Amino acid sequence: MTPLSPPSSAPLVVYIDGVGLLGPGIDHWEEGRRQLAGLAPARLQKTVLPAPAALPPAERRRAGATVKLALAIGLEALQAAGLEAAQVPSVFTSSGGDGLNCHEMCVALASPDKFISPTRFHNSVHNAASGYWGIATGSMATSSVLCAYDGSFAAGLLEAVAQAVVDGVPVLLLAYDTDYPEPLHSARPVPDTFGVALILAPQRSARSLARCTLHGDACLTGDPADQLADPVLEPLRRGIPAARSLPLLRAVATQQAGRVVLDYLDGLQLALDIAPCA
Amino acid sequence: MQPLLLSHFTTTSCIGRGLTPTLASLRERRSGLQPCDFEGADLATWTGSVAGVDDEVLRDGLRAYDCRNNRLAQLGLRQDDFEQAVHQTVARVGRQRMGVFLGTSTAGILQTELAYRRRDPVSGALPADFNYATTHNPYSVSAFVRRFFGLEGPAMAVSSACSSSAKVFASARRMLEAGLIDAAIVGGVDTLCLTTLCGFNSLGLLSSRPCRPFDITRDGISIGEAAAFILLERVPGSLDANAVLLRGVGESSDAYHMSSPHPQGLGARLAMQQALASAGLPAAQIDYINLHGTATPGNDAAEGQAVAALFGELATPCSSTKGATGHTLGAAGALEAVISALALQQGLMPGGINTEQVDTTLAVNYLLDNREQPVSSVLSNSFGFGGTNCSLVFSRAG
């Protein structure tokens, strides 16, 4: 049966008003911006996670890698955009979750007594980072928590753009992944930790870095995803799902207008237009 | 918000495969809870398991997705002609214009639990047949359903613990309003596994008896499993009076604690208020509330306070259907959305099962018996770990 040709839909436009970034050899957006723009060499260096100072001490002790990562990038993006967390809805997207916590839990469940600690269990939910985000920032705004395996960044971007445009509010998108210990690592070989946060606003502001347009139906494409020429950054893009965002970040960093294609689902990529706001 | 049509729906849980047995169980006030006999879980608790899940053989070409969760997903898709309804809608709108947004808390994590038991004694390696991507990963259930129907549109899993498959309605609503899709398969699938059974046990939240929501003696949850699917579309020009609409959605975060709700139910109240506001309905026009009602002392107390504050003490009839189905975690929102739709179409407010004496400190109009009368609008609550809340308003078209 031939499907009906899909009706056209209006373009979706958002402005990137703040970026948070943390990954191998990248401690913040300014560092990443310089590397992506070719102003500084990309570095092969393991990701360093800062302590989650925003959390009360009891929660700080329990926080795993995904929580530390999400807090660092989320707060960096909010600050850049000059926004308070309380009113900003968030979209959390991760290709898996806290791998170390999952490993420890599965080891315990394979043991005779099957005891898992309450902390292990409550850190095992995919929305752990979102929950701690609310506790750390006091934000009671809605928070979506998504997964689309290797396409998790693009899935989160679609969700956040739709929310910003339909509800007419700035939205905080956080995409993050952490590495898994063995033996899970062999089944899911994520090599290191990477996270990116973006403030996506429906209106242009003095802080806007770039305009991002999704052309309705045409945003889903069979065209191949963009790659990076850099020999350090391209393996990073391929190796960590959240780093599939790098072609978009490169366009923001270089302030060049053009089309960006990102990995999404099997046989389907996400295309968008980027234009600088400077 | 613009109302949306639930053009087709189905659910499978311990009270029945498909709508007819589900409705019969609700009418006859049957619970599907049984003493826990889940393999490897030696726990004094009751569970709501679906018979025959492990006998379900995944369709050719989809065997890589084989795990208990995707077996239940397929079993659920095959009830109530849901499969045919999807194919008909796809023929109308196109396979790129159909989204898949499913909620799950643990997806196929059971597969990893089992693989860890089979680690190589020397190297510690997982068995070669273990496939993380297609089983354990939260997205595996949405990938499975997308492939099952050969769809080419947007897809994702929502995994926000027990609000997961209520929040998929919010995501689908935004995608439809943004014009990115013309229809969506929304729903939720969650299955029994040791992670949730042993995890809730270590938190001391499992009841040793069938769960008793809002009862004075309530002491914890009974874990269940379910698959529920709904086809969601824009409202067409003409509607049958019995058609069910999604009228309102409210979402909030508690910002309070990872595993306890805000003690006064502040987050819950915000979600309910927003759902009413987006539906454009005053609280008085809600005929029945399907409570989250997990039967833990803390959850029910918080929700009871929030409901009483917003709807008036002892006012709107309400109940939790978890005494019948158990708490199906990431599938609960979608399962209870389908029960809400049945309530609207059948004029049935299902009374809570197992609950004998309502805790009078929870000043709500908790139904201990079924009530048969026309129902125009229903509010359905889903709240989860990490303080994630979602309330949905459904209405009859006529």
Side-chain angles (χ1 to χ4, degrees):
Chain A
M1 194 176 294
T2 311
L4 299 171
S5 54
S8 61
S9 53
L12 306 175
V13 180
V14 295
Y15 295 85
I16 298 176
D17 276 11
V19 185
L21 192 62
L22 193 63
I26 304 171
D27 293 333
H28 43 71
W29 164 236
E30 178 55 22
E31 175 106 50
R33 187 191 71 78
R34 290 175 56 79
Q35 290 182 19
L36 285 159
L39 302 172
R43 296 180 292 153
L44 286 166
Q45 190 184 315
K46 193 149 175 55
T47 303
V48 181
L49 289 173
L55 281 172
E59 269 79 15
R60 204 180 306 160
R61 279 195 300 277
R62 297 189 190 120
T66 58
V67 174
K68 293 174 186 164
L69 180 58
L71 277 171
I73 57 174
L75 293 172
E76 187 189 2
L78 269 181
Q79 192 178 12
L83 293 174
E84 295 290 330
Q87 304 305 322
V88 182
S90 52
V91 174
F92 286 72
T93 184
S94 169
S95 80
D98 186 335
L100 179 63
N101 191 72
C102 173
H103 165 76
E104 296 288 351
M105 208 172 60
C106 288
V107 168
L109 291 173
S111 73
D113 76 354
K114 298 187 176 62
F115 175 78
I116 49 180
S117 81
T119 300
R120 267 289 165 247
F121 181 55
H122 84 218
N123 279 330
S124 75
V125 293
H126 195 65
N127 59 315
S130 155
Y132 282 106
W133 173 261
I135 294 167
T137 63
S139 173
M140 298 187 77
T142 179
S143 182
S144 305
V145 185
L146 317 179
C147 179
Y149 195 57
D150 281 348
S152 292
F153 174 75
L157 184 62
L158 260 187
E159 170 98 358
V161 168
Q163 187 163 8
V165 171
V166 170
D167 295 344
V169 291
V171 175
L172 170 62
L173 167 67
L174 307 96
Y176 49 94
D177 288 299
T178 57
D179 49 328
Y180 284 16
E182 289 293 355
L184 265 181
H185 186 85
S186 293
R188 180 54 169 160
V190 176
D192 201 351
T193 288
F194 183 95
V196 56
L198 301 173
I199 294 285
L200 303 171
Q203 269 105 34
R204 184 176 173 153
S205 77
R207 308 224 183 197
S208 296
L209 302 170
R211 186 181 70 219
C212 179
T213 307
L214 275 68
H215 292 283
D217 300 316
C219 74
L220 299 183
T221 175
D223 296 350
D226 294 350
Q227 300 189 5
L228 303 171
D230 188 282
V232 174
L233 296 178
E234 175 58 16
L236 180 62
R237 186 191 72 85
R238 287 175 187 273
I240 310 180
R244 308 285 163 92
S245 57
L246 284 173
L248 170 61
L249 298 180
R250 177 183 57 182
V252 177
T254 56
Q255 292 280 290
Q256 283 182 346
R259 183 171 184 255
V260 174
V261 182
L262 303 171
D263 277 316
Y264 182 28
L265 307 176
D266 278 351
L268 192 67
Q269 284 70 245
L270 183 68
L272 45 103
D273 280 347
I274 286 283
C277 285
Chain B
M1 63 170 264
Q2 293 291 319
L4 294 167
L5 173 67
L6 283 66
S7 60
H8 208 87
F9 49 83
T10 182
T11 187
T12 290
S13 71
C14 67
I15 61 167
R17 297 181 180 195
L19 297 177
T20 304
T22 299
L23 184 63
S25 293
L26 292 171
R27 282 204 194 285
E28 293 157 26
R29 302 180 43 68
R30 271 202 311 264
S31 171
L33 299 175
Q34 303 278 341
C36 176
D37 62 356
F38 193 73
E39 205 261 309
D42 183 19
L43 297 169
T45 188
W46 291 53
T47 53
S49 61
V50 177
V53 175
D54 287 328
D55 301 330
E56 184 75 11
V57 177
L58 295 193
R59 204 154 86 181
D60 280 350
L62 294 171
R63 299 280 165 79
Y65 292 87
D66 190 36
C67 63
R68 187 175 175 87
N69 210 54
N70 291 331
R71 286 177 214 157
L72 180 56
Q74 180 172 290
L75 189 62
L77 289 172
R78 290 194 161 153
Q79 311 305 318
D80 298 310
D81 295 327
F82 192 80
E83 234 184 305
Q84 291 84 331
V86 171
H87 287 306
Q88 284 164 11
T89 307
V90 169
R92 185 158 44 82
V93 305
R95 55 187 73 239
Q96 290 195 334
R97 300 284 300 175
M98 170 80 92
V100 176
F101 313 113
L102 300 176
T104 186
S105 71
T106 50
I109 198 171
L110 173 62
Q111 213 63 10
T112 309
E113 297 170 8
L114 296 171
Y116 264 72
R117 286 196 221 163
R118 294 192 290 135
R119 276 169 297 168
D120 185 285
V122 178
S123 69
L126 295 172
D129 58 17
F130 171 65
N131 189 336
Y132 167 84
T134 49
T135 62
H136 173 136
N137 190 262
Y139 178 61
S140 64
V141 64
S142 297
F144 171 72
V145 170
R146 189 169 179 266
R147 288 212 173 177
F148 188 89
F149 292 113
L151 301 177
E152 296 165 6
M156 61 170 175
V158 171
S159 189
S160 56
C162 306
S163 66
S164 302
S165 62
K167 285 174 76 77
V168 291
F169 286 90
S171 296
R173 192 271 299 181
R174 292 188 282 260
M175 291 272 191
L176 281 156
E177 282 196 23
L180 287 165
I181 52 171
D182 291 319
I185 299 173
V186 297
V189 186
D190 236 343
T191 31
L192 296 176
C193 60
L194 294 177
T195 297
T196 49
L197 285 165
C198 298
F200 279 105
N201 184 55
S202 31
L203 289 174
L205 292 179
L206 291 183
S207 178
S208 58
R209 295 166 50 196
C211 69
R212 303 177 299 287
F214 279 70
D215 193 282
I216 186 86
T217 67
R218 68 188 184 279
D219 64 357
I221 69 174
S222 303
I223 297 180
E225 58 186 357
F229 297 101
I230 300 102
L231 255 176
L232 206 57
E233 304 179 57
R234 293 186 196 92
V235 177
S238 69
L239 276 179
D240 187 84
N242 227 13
V244 175
L245 303 176
L246 173 68
R247 283 281 296 274
V249 179
E251 299 173 278
S252 74
S253 304
D254 269 7
Y256 177 73
H257 193 267
M258 274 308 292
S259 50
S260 325
H262 186 281
Q264 282 83 47
L266 187 53
R269 192 170 152 181
L270 277 177
M272 287 189 276
Q273 268 170 333
Q274 271 180 30
L276 291 172
S278 75
L281 288 176
Q285 282 195 27
I286 298 294
D287 300 310
Y288 164 70
I289 303 169
N290 188 290
L291 299 164
H292 186 54
T294 64
T296 71
N299 285 357
D300 287 3
E303 186 176 18
Q305 288 183 66
V307 168
L310 201 53
F311 291 85
E313 294 197 355
L314 303 170
T316 309
C318 59
S319 68
S320 164
T321 42
K322 289 184 172 70
T325 63
H327 188 352
T328 61
L329 308 178
L335 165 62
E336 289 163 37
V338 171
I339 290 176
S340 298
L342 288 174
L344 291 163
Q345 290 187 331
Q346 304 291 326
L348 170 71
M349 302 179 192
I353 296 177
N354 306 331
T355 300
E356 288 171 2
Q357 193 183 346
V358 178
D359 182 347
T360 53
T361 66
L362 312 179
V364 299
N365 181 6
Y366 194 88
L367 299 175
L368 291 180
D369 259 316
N370 286 352
R371 191 179 286 184
E372 308 241 3
Q373 66 182 60
V375 180
S376 295
S377 290
V378 170
L379 178 87
S380 183
N381 282 341
S382 300
F383 309 135
F385 254 31
T388 164
N389 308 301
C390 186
S391 295
L392 304 170
V393 174
F394 299 99
S395 293
R396 235 174 130 257

